[in-house]
Amino acid sequence: MNPYRLKEIFAAKQARRERLASLPIDQKVDLIEQLHQLAHTMIEARESSQKSADHRAGR
Amino acid sequence: MALEATLSVLNDMKAAGVFAEYAIGGAVAAFLYIEPAATFDLDVFTAWEPSEGGGLLTPQPLYAYLLSRGYGEYEKEAIMLEGWAVQFLPLGTPLVKEALIQAVDVRIKGVPTRVFTREHLMGICLQTGRPKDLARLLQFTEESGADMERFEEILQRHMLAKAWESFRTRYLPPL
């Protein structure tokens, strides 16, 4: 990949991080709550997937 | 999973004298200053030492109070309060004790609460020193606009200057 392109990508990521870091507190809390919900959904999906795999394997 | 409902439970506990004071630390507190990421737990630091106004010697009354109000579901070592897994943590080091005393008052969706300062959270990250804490400390230095003079004072008070120097040499660009 062109190193100049990479530099742009990293700069955009840094700008996004700084924007998210400086959101007003209630917007931040909304985001934290959404991420909290997402984490639970992902764990439930992983557990469900593991159960299915165990079932298929006869465990 | 509204955080303000959980904070209201904590405020009720304080009003009922279950603990003298509390403040939010850990990931949720950090995410109020840096880019948020996923987390499961809400770390609540409480004064468990006896105080003039009465306080806790053990966390047992805390859990008894919660049980009497219908909160008896646990997720590993945390208790579920309005959808959040809350970990009640003691003031394990002088740094954490100072972080509780100097925590800042904030309102989260109208609910008052107290949160560790960013500089104390940075110090705790450095003191704890797990890889995820060091990664978070790096984020603090890049994103949070921390008061570095205040941070340096905390480092001096809690004998963390050497650890900071080592971290800075390893992870931060030269001054």
Side-chain angles (χ1 to χ4, degrees), chain B residues 49-68:
Chain B
E49 293 174 309
S51 60
E52 282 182 11
L56 290 178
L57 287 168
T58 78
Q60 189 54 38
L62 188 154
Y63 292 107
Y65 170 91
L66 289 172
L67 188 62
S68 75

Side-chain angles (χ1 to χ4, degrees), chain B residues 42-112:
Chain B
L42 180 67
D43 290 347
V44 176
F45 291 84
T46 54
W48 288 3
E49 293 174 309
S51 60
E52 282 182 11
L56 290 178
L57 287 168
T58 78
Q60 189 54 38
L62 188 154
Y63 292 107
Y65 170 91
L66 289 172
L67 188 62
S68 75
R69 275 148 186 81
Y71 298 107
E73 185 192 344
Y74 287 82
E75 198 170 85
K76 295 183 182 169
E77 65 275 32
I79 186 163
M80 295 304 296
L81 297 183
E82 301 296 332
W84 278 83
V86 175
Q87 277 197 296
F88 288 100
L89 299 162
L91 309 179
T93 66
L95 174 58
V96 174
K97 193 171 182 179
E98 182 184 287
L100 178 72
I101 293 165
Q102 296 185 13
V104 289
D105 294 316
V106 296
R107 279 186 173 271
I108 291 182
K109 298 188 179 174
V111 178

Side-chain angles (χ1 to χ4, degrees), chain A residues 14 16-18 20-21 25-26 28-33 35-37 39-40 43, chain B residues 1-4 31-40 83-84 107-109 143:
Chain A
Q14 181 63 22
R16 187 206 62 194
R17 279 197 292 270
E18 285 170 10
L20 290 174
I25 192 164
D26 282 352
K28 275 230 163 154
V29 171
D30 283 340
L31 199 52
I32 291 167
E33 286 170 353
L35 288 161
H36 181 239
Q37 181 64 53
H40 278 278
I43 289 289
Chain B
M1 297 186 183
L3 189 58
E4 63 267 30
F31 296 155
L32 296 176
Y33 299 109
I34 60 175
E35 180 189 17
T39 186
F40 289 100
W84 278 83
R107 279 186 173 271
I108 291 182
K109 298 188 179 174
E143 300 166 14

